[in-house]
Amino acid sequence: MRLRRVWALVEKETREIKRDPFFLLMAFLVPSLFMVLFGYGLSLDVKNLPFWVLDYDQSKTSRDLVYHFVTSRYFELKGSLLDEKKALAALTQGDIRLILVVPEGLEKTLVAQRSAPLQVIIDGTFPYRAQVVKNYVTAIIGLFNKKRLQEFFRRKGFTEQQLETMAEPVRLDVRYLYNEEAKSVWSIASALIGMILLMVPPMLTSVSICKEKETGSIYNIYASTITRGEFLLGKLVPYFLISALNALILFAWAIWVFKTPFRGSFFFFILSALVYALCSLGIGLWISSFARTQIAALMISLVVAMVPSFLYSGMLVPVSCLDQTGQIEAHLFPAMYFVNILHGLFLKGLAWTTLWPEFMALVVYTLVVYFLAYISFHKRVKR
Amino acid sequence: MKRLRRIWVLTVKEILQLLRDRTLLIATVYLFTIDIFLAASGVKLTLHHAAYMVFDQDRTQASRELRGRFRSPYFDLKGLILRPEQAFGALDKGKVLAFLDIPDGFEQDLKTKRQARVQLLVDTSNAMMGYLVAGYASQIVAEFSQEQMLTQLGLTEEMLDRFPLIKLKQRVFFNPNQEETWFTALSELLTVITMLTMLLPAAALVREKERGTIEQLMVSPVSTMEVFLAKILAMTVVILVGTLISVGIVIEGAFHVPIRGSMAVFMLVTTFYVFTSCGYGLLIGTIARNLAQVGLLTIIAIAPIVFLSGTWTPPEAMPIWLRSLMAFSPLYYFIQSSYGIFLKGVGFDFLFPKVGAMFILGFLVLGLTGFFFRKRFIG
């Protein structure tokens, strides 16, 4: 390994990047842009759910019931016209997410001391949303029933003290750990650092090498005395600098724009982010050994990075909730280890001693990737 | 006639070019089949086997009864523990999502008609899942609580009807069993189509620029629009074949997504979408100077298009300024139409405004592209 040769390549590469200011701008703009879009756009908090009421009862009780929904911050009344066809059309259009159907005679039934049905029709296109809607509706009706039950017992002559216990003999206190207000933007913004650092860097290295292949300038490398190790290293250095800077910028976004708390060691964050960036760039180097054109390199980078980092990293779904194949897949990609570290440092405030196994997994992963890139890159023309 | 022939020749050239890049071809096939399968099969966003631990300090029949309610498919017991520290360790490591703490004297409280309290600690480092865990746990406990109330009053479960309460009857439309694969497989297919239709035409155009073959096209009798049209046509053929394979093998074959509308209509809508989306791709190809730029520009364009499409985040949950940008995401219209055709079985009155808006967007973008292209190459 001759450092002078590596340095020459680094210089050439740096100059090439600098002379393409558009590319340089993009290399820094894209990660930040992603952070903004995904951070704001991927909010899975369900709120302001538009709904429609078909109140066939038009009584005091039914109005009180609807009022419970209207005043909740999770629901927003969009229509109350007594027209089933219109309501269903709005549901199909996606203008509303649920329809409340209050049947005729609701109040009468309740006054007669019997239970009365309330029908709720939910848009099930996106099952996650449907599940959350169900939970909210159930919670609101639960509250409504609790009040009615207390009223019922009060009239039977129980004391105020007894009422609380009578209506709810068992009570669940839920406490949120790590993300005390359960803000989805906190979970997402911190995990996004891992996702973006897996999407952009492989593209930079793989496209840079495949560009030389396509324009033919790679033949200069083939014919020169530079070894393949030196070549890969020289390609790596400038993009590593870009990616490391990006890691810092993304960190700043998460902390200052999305106000995610950071409760761990900053030094450990930097250390693991650098290893992860190296790993990600290495994947790009490896891709370039079998992709022949830049466009193929781009596509493979996107395919390798997007789906696994989005779906199997623990960003959307905790890895412990995945099924067997999903768990295996999650362990096959580096995103999961880094997202664990990120959530550990940002939200959980874990010490590096707890996160050590994840970090070691990243190191081993990186070494394997570089080994693969090294053995599959040849200074020979492939047939 | 001559014009048609020219377009035809160019289209064949584009398709041949695509087919001869074997890596690219494999990547395309992968995207249409395995990628969609992987994306849809492994990941469940709904609550599904959430791992939890129980610290049962009461160890009575009542406490056993309560913790027995937290069961599959929503919950998965990972262990009864003797010290709370064990649970905190597991929560830290992400091995479990929740920790149920039943205090001593739980049964005693129930018997003496005092309010019994149990605590649930939820890992919300993943807020979405934490929310669901909390929601389901609350429902389970509320049900248990209601039964306890009846017992305390000496009544049976059927007698609950004697109370003046609201009984909730929930029905889920369009996807009654809430099969998540229906949603994910379709959304992944639409994303794949978007990615390919933007990336490939942009790359094809820039490759001509990089190699200088664009100059040959400029001096030949073909017009700018004919060059574009040929690239779009070639893309349409590739995407339609890919979509048919994908729907046949993965979406129908593996996941049994219903097609309540007409498949032919879906293919037609897809054709319109390819036209619009290719317009965006060609715009990128016209602006970018080399492929590295194309890559970065494409993902810059794809990310907002996907995230403003309303797939993951519904419009009502977005800030106003983002919501107004949704009108420019062609995927928004395509997704509405596709879910409409597959899951809702909608007709033309539903599709017409959406496809129309999409098409207008396509024309605008293509016009803009033509303008930039002429400015750059013809002067």
Side-chain angles (χ1 to χ4, degrees):
Chain A
M1 175 91 46
R2 289 269 187 85
L3 277 180
R4 213 167 60 88
R5 290 198 294 238
V6 176
W7 183 245
L9 195 69
V10 171
E11 241 187 307
K12 168 216 156 232
E13 204 63 33
T14 316
R15 206 167 287 168
E16 241 176 74
I17 297 170
K18 271 200 288 193
R19 287 184 184 165
D20 191 347
F22 178 81
F23 175 79
L24 192 62
L25 182 75
M26 289 284 133
F28 283 105
L29 204 65
V30 169
S32 291
L33 195 85
F34 268 28
M35 198 73 181
V36 178
L37 280 166
F38 287 67
Y40 285 114
L42 200 60
S43 145
L44 286 175
D45 295 337
V46 178
K47 53 186 175 190
N48 306 334
L49 288 161
F51 74 105
W52 193 298
V53 176
L54 292 172
D55 185 358
Y56 291 110
D57 197 40
Q58 300 283 356
S59 63
K60 193 167 160 290
T61 316
S62 73
R63 271 191 293 275
D64 184 35
L65 184 65
V66 173
Y67 187 71
H68 269 73
F69 283 87
V70 175
T71 48
S72 146
R73 67 190 166 101
Y74 303 116
F75 295 93
E76 200 181 308
L77 186 65
K78 270 284 148 74
S80 52
L81 207 66
L82 269 181
D83 187 340
E84 200 182 319
K85 260 200 188 134
K86 269 204 180 131
L88 283 174
L91 192 74
T92 311
Q93 279 284 351
D95 293 337
I96 55 169
R97 303 274 168 238
L98 67 154
I99 305 174
L100 291 184
V101 189
V102 187
E104 210 184 323
L106 178 104
E107 197 176 49
K108 259 192 202 153
T109 322
L110 288 177
V111 168
Q113 309 290 353
R114 270 181 297 122
S115 71
L118 170 78
Q119 204 187 29
V120 179
I121 300 171
I122 300 169
D123 172 8
T125 319
F126 185 7
Y128 167 80
R129 210 184 291 146
Q131 230 180 29
V132 177
V133 171
K134 267 186 174 179
N135 279 344
Y136 285 151
V137 172
T138 313
I140 288 187
I141 297 299
L143 191 72
F144 182 80
N145 275 344
K146 194 183 150 191
K147 281 186 192 165
R148 291 199 61 87
L149 212 53
Q150 285 181 345
E151 193 55 39
F152 177 74
F153 286 133
R154 187 173 291 134
R155 264 191 255 121
K156 296 250 154 145
F158 288 95
T159 65
E160 284 299 317
Q161 236 175 353
Q162 281 171 311
L163 287 179
E164 185 66 25
T165 324
M166 293 289 291
E168 198 181 15
V170 185
R171 188 188 167 122
L172 181 73
D173 296 312
V174 177
R175 235 183 78 202
Y176 294 136
L177 286 178
Y178 313 128
N179 182 352
E180 294 76 9
E181 292 162 59
K183 282 190 178 167
S184 74
V185 70
W186 284 8
S187 333
I188 288 192
S190 48
L192 269 179
I193 301 177
M195 183 182 161
I196 296 171
L197 281 184
L198 192 64
M199 279 183 80
V200 182
M203 238 163 24
L204 300 179
T205 40
S206 63
V207 167
S208 144
I209 292 183
C210 285
K211 187 173 170 186
E212 302 224 23
K213 281 192 187 173
E214 245 181 289
T215 54
S217 63
I218 193 100
Y219 287 95
N220 297 336
I221 304 291
Y222 289 166
S224 74
T225 50
I226 195 166
T227 63
R228 49 183 169 160
E230 288 162 358
F231 174 70
L232 292 177
L233 188 62
K235 278 279 179 191
L236 187 68
V237 172
Y239 297 109
F240 178 64
L241 286 179
I242 294 180
S243 308
L245 260 175
N246 269 329
L248 276 179
I249 296 172
L250 291 175
F251 178 80
W253 271 106
I255 297 284
W256 285 316
V257 180
F258 295 110
K259 308 262 187 259
T260 318
F262 185 76
R263 296 163 176 156
S265 137
F266 183 67
F267 175 73
F268 192 71
F269 167 77
I270 294 291
L271 194 69
S272 43
L274 291 186
V275 172
Y276 184 67
L278 268 181
C279 177
S280 172
L281 289 164
I283 292 174
L285 292 179
W286 182 36
I287 289 172
S288 66
S289 66
F290 51 85
R292 277 188 224 176
T293 54
Q294 296 174 67
I295 182 67
L298 251 177
M299 291 253 302
I300 296 170
S301 309
L302 274 178
V303 167
V304 169
M306 272 251 253
V307 172
S309 67
F310 191 58
L311 297 174
Y312 293 99
S313 64
M315 183 172 93
L316 280 180
V317 189
V319 175
S320 68
C321 287
L322 297 174
D323 61 10
Q324 202 85 48
T325 44
Q327 297 235 357
I328 293 171
E329 178 138 352
H331 283 82
L332 283 179
F333 293 95
M336 180 197 85
Y337 306 105
F338 192 51
V339 167
N340 281 347
I341 294 179
L342 288 170
H343 275 161
L345 288 177
F346 274 90
L347 302 171
K348 296 185 175 178
L350 299 182
W352 64 272
T353 40
T354 322
L355 294 170
W356 198 243
E358 313 284 333
F359 181 75
M360 281 323 286
L362 273 187
V363 171
V364 172
Y365 199 100
T366 311
L367 291 176
V368 170
V369 165
Y370 278 92
F371 176 72
L372 285 174
Y374 182 74
I375 57 164
S376 49
F377 184 82
H378 297 287
K379 282 180 68 181
R380 300 278 182 280
V381 183
K382 256 193 246 168
R383 286 271 153 241
Chain B
M1 236 10 242
K2 258 190 184 164
R3 185 176 281 258
L4 278 180
R5 237 188 88 76
R6 285 200 297 257
I7 295 177
W8 171 245
V9 170
L10 278 174
T11 310
V12 171
K13 165 206 155 249
E14 293 291 337
I15 293 178
L16 277 180
Q17 239 174 352
L18 206 75
L19 291 182
R20 283 186 185 158
D21 189 338
R22 214 183 319 141
T23 330
L24 191 61
L25 194 66
I26 292 172
T28 310
V29 173
Y30 171 90
L31 280 174
F32 270 116
T33 50
I34 300 170
D35 176 77
I36 295 174
F37 182 78
L38 284 181
S41 62
V43 174
K44 296 218 164 32
L45 261 177
T46 47
L47 196 67
H48 191 72
H49 295 293
Y52 76 105
M53 281 180 171
V54 178
F55 182 36
D56 185 355
Q57 308 178 59
D58 198 40
R59 295 191 168 269
T60 53
Q61 207 196 329
S63 72
R64 269 196 298 277
E65 162 83 34
L66 175 65
R67 66 178 205 238
R69 304 264 175 120
F70 288 77
R71 58 176 171 244
S72 190
Y74 299 124
F75 290 95
D76 236 358
L77 181 62
K78 278 283 141 82
L80 277 168
I81 50 170
L82 300 172
R83 282 174 298 114
E85 290 77 30
Q86 289 171 289
F88 288 118
L91 279 164
D92 275 349
K93 292 208 181 86
K95 300 272 180 249
V96 296
L97 276 181
F99 162 44
L100 183 68
D101 187 353
I102 307 177
D104 199 10
F106 176 74
E107 197 180 49
Q108 194 60 34
D109 280 344
L110 286 177
K111 278 185 180 152
T112 55
K113 298 194 179 176
R114 262 179 314 197
Q115 191 172 48
R117 290 189 160 208
V118 286
Q119 197 183 38
L120 185 79
L121 296 176
V122 185
D123 172 4
T124 38
S125 65
N126 185 312
M128 293 83 77
M129 229 18 90
Y131 232 80
L132 281 182
V133 168
Y136 274 87
S138 305
Q139 275 185 40
I140 290 173
V141 174
E143 230 167 81
F144 181 78
S145 176
Q146 201 167 53
E147 283 167 31
Q148 289 303 316
M149 176 195 81
L150 293 175
T151 324
Q152 286 180 2
L153 293 170
L155 301 170
T156 59
E157 213 170 312
E158 294 78 54
M159 291 160 103
L160 192 65
D161 281 343
R162 300 249 198 92
F163 288 94
L165 298 179
I166 300 281
K167 238 188 182 171
L168 199 54
K169 290 201 173 125
Q170 313 210 46
R171 278 177 70 194
V172 177
F173 270 31
F174 311 130
N175 187 351
N177 296 325
Q178 292 176 61
E179 302 275 359
E180 247 183 301
T181 48
W182 292 7
F183 172 79
T184 329
L186 275 178
S187 95
E188 186 66 17
L189 170 67
L190 306 183
T191 312
V192 163
I193 292 178
T194 310
M195 203 161 96
L196 288 174
T197 47
M198 287 181 63
L199 197 56
L200 294 183
L205 196 61
V206 166
R207 184 150 52 185
E208 306 233 22
K209 274 200 236 172
E210 282 190 324
R211 299 220 172 128
T213 47
I214 196 101
E215 312 293 335
Q216 287 175 6
L217 283 176
M218 291 335 297
V219 294
S220 70
V222 294
S223 71
T224 318
M225 277 304 152
E226 283 166 21
V227 174
F228 286 171
L229 222 56
K231 291 200 192 297
I232 293 176
L233 277 177
M235 242 7 262
T236 314
V237 173
V238 172
I239 295 296
L240 287 185
V241 171
T243 307
L244 273 179
I245 292 174
S246 182
V247 171
I249 296 177
V250 185
I251 293 187
E252 284 306 297
F255 298 129
H256 313 290
V257 181
I259 308 180
R260 304 214 166 99
S262 136
M263 187 62 200
V265 174
F266 176 66
M267 293 309 268
L268 193 68
V269 173
T270 308
T271 310
F272 281 119
Y273 180 67
V274 173
F275 168 78
T276 304
S277 183
C278 278
Y280 282 73
L282 289 171
L283 183 62
I284 291 171
T286 306
I287 297 170
R289 291 211 162 80
N290 53 50
L291 261 162
Q293 292 183 354
V294 166
L296 290 172
L297 271 175
T298 312
I299 56 174
I300 270 199
I302 285 181
I305 284 179
V306 170
F307 282 93
L308 292 177
S309 64
T311 332
W312 297 97
T313 309
E316 67 261 14
M318 280 192 210
I320 287 275
W321 58 276
L322 265 183
R323 209 188 301 182
S324 48
L325 284 177
M326 281 180 97
F328 295 99
S329 169
L331 189 57
Y332 169 65
Y333 306 107
F334 188 37
I335 277 187
Q336 295 258 318
S337 312
S338 305
Y339 283 129
I341 294 168
F342 274 93
L343 302 180
K344 304 177 183 172
V346 294
F348 275 102
D349 51 330
F350 176 92
L351 292 173
F352 190 72
K354 298 192 167 64
V355 177
M358 195 163 85
F359 205 54
I360 291 170
L361 211 56
F363 260 112
L364 287 178
V365 171
L366 210 59
L368 201 66
T369 312
F371 173 74
F372 276 124
F373 190 82
R374 269 178 224 116
K375 215 168 135 193
R376 183 154 282 179
F377 291 100
I378 301 169

